[in-house]
Amino acid sequence: MTARDLQQAPAAAPARTPQEVLSEEAARYALLRRVAPALRHHLAGTLQPIGMVAAIMDRRLQAAQPDLTAIRESSKSISTLTRSAAGASMGLLTWLAPKESSVGPLHASVEECLGMLTTDLAFRGFSVSNTIATSDMAASVFALRSVFTAALIALTDAALTPARIVISSHATDGQLGVVISVSSEPGAVAAEDPPSYRKLGWDDVQALATAEQVGLSHEAGRAEMHFMAAENADVTV
């Protein structure tokens, strides 16, 4: 079976009990609560330049003889920044309501998830090394956002800091394996600051993995996930 076959005719998801559905919904809510501060941070970052340029234009308008050329340039900048912010904001909102059928390059999707958490991880004492190379390997963006991000948070919630995170991947029999390893440095201690919401546990990650038909195994400081391979495509969410 080719990657195209895997994408076009995925195996039917097994029937789940009402309790499994509720567990999935609880896990998704917990995950969104944990990434919500990062979503707000990125959203504010897209809007901040607009306010800065608007403030500059306002000062120029207050001049005794306003420089109309400079004001026109500021107006053009605001228009460009607004379009960019609108696009970025729509992209961030897809974390709340994504297209579940969207697929994208594995390396790009993993980078997106890491980018969402980079600031938080750095503040908590984690350094990240992503060894996934650019390639034609692709997988469900929705599954990666759900399972990969939840596994990363669960591992770091349980880790001592400072610590190093290494992300790697491999492909086997139509499956894309993604491995997260966390190794604490000598003398590391538990983080003093509690997370913005409750810690994520492996029951949460497993509930998401089951819903997305992602294979999951974990142990102390390590998690391995197997995503269904799909035909490569640009990220469309």
Side-chain angles (χ1 to χ4, degrees), residues 3 104-107 133-139 176 229-233:
L106 178 66
H107 67 279
T134 301
S135 71
D136 291 336
M137 297 190 299
L176 301 181
E231 181 178 318
N232 200 357

Side-chain angles (χ1 to χ4, degrees), residues 128-157:
V128 181
S129 175
N130 180 14
T131 66
I132 298 179
T134 301
S135 71
D136 291 336
M137 297 190 299
S140 164
V141 175
F142 187 60
L144 276 159
R145 284 179 175 180
S146 299
V147 185
F148 173 82
T149 306
L152 178 60
I153 293 175
L155 283 170
T156 54
D157 279 352

Side-chain angles (χ1 to χ4, degrees), residues 8-21:
Q8 294 180 344
R16 293 185 293 154
T17 66
Q19 184 57 48
E20 288 175 327
V21 174

Side-chain angles (χ1 to χ4, degrees), residues 68-123:
L68 296 182
T69 300
I71 291 173
R72 279 194 294 269
E73 289 301 317
S74 294
S75 178
K76 290 180 182 178
S77 296
I78 289 176
S79 178
T80 300
L81 291 169
T82 300
R83 288 195 299 270
S84 177
S89 298
M90 290 301 297
L92 291 171
L93 288 175
T94 61
W95 279 77
L96 305 177
K99 295 178 181 178
E100 298 185 20
S101 61
S102 62
V103 299
L106 178 66
H107 67 279
S109 297
V110 169
E111 275 296 330
E112 180 203 37
C113 295
L114 291 174
M116 187 62 61
L117 300 174
T118 294
T119 300
D120 178 67
L121 291 174
F123 275 123

Side-chain angles (χ1 to χ4, degrees), residues 178-203:
V178 178
V179 178
I180 307 174
S181 300
V182 180
S183 54
S184 297
E185 298 179 5
V189 297
E192 296 181 1
D193 296 331
S196 57
Y197 186 64
R198 72 167 175 83
K199 292 185 176 181
L200 293 187
W202 289 108
D203 287 346

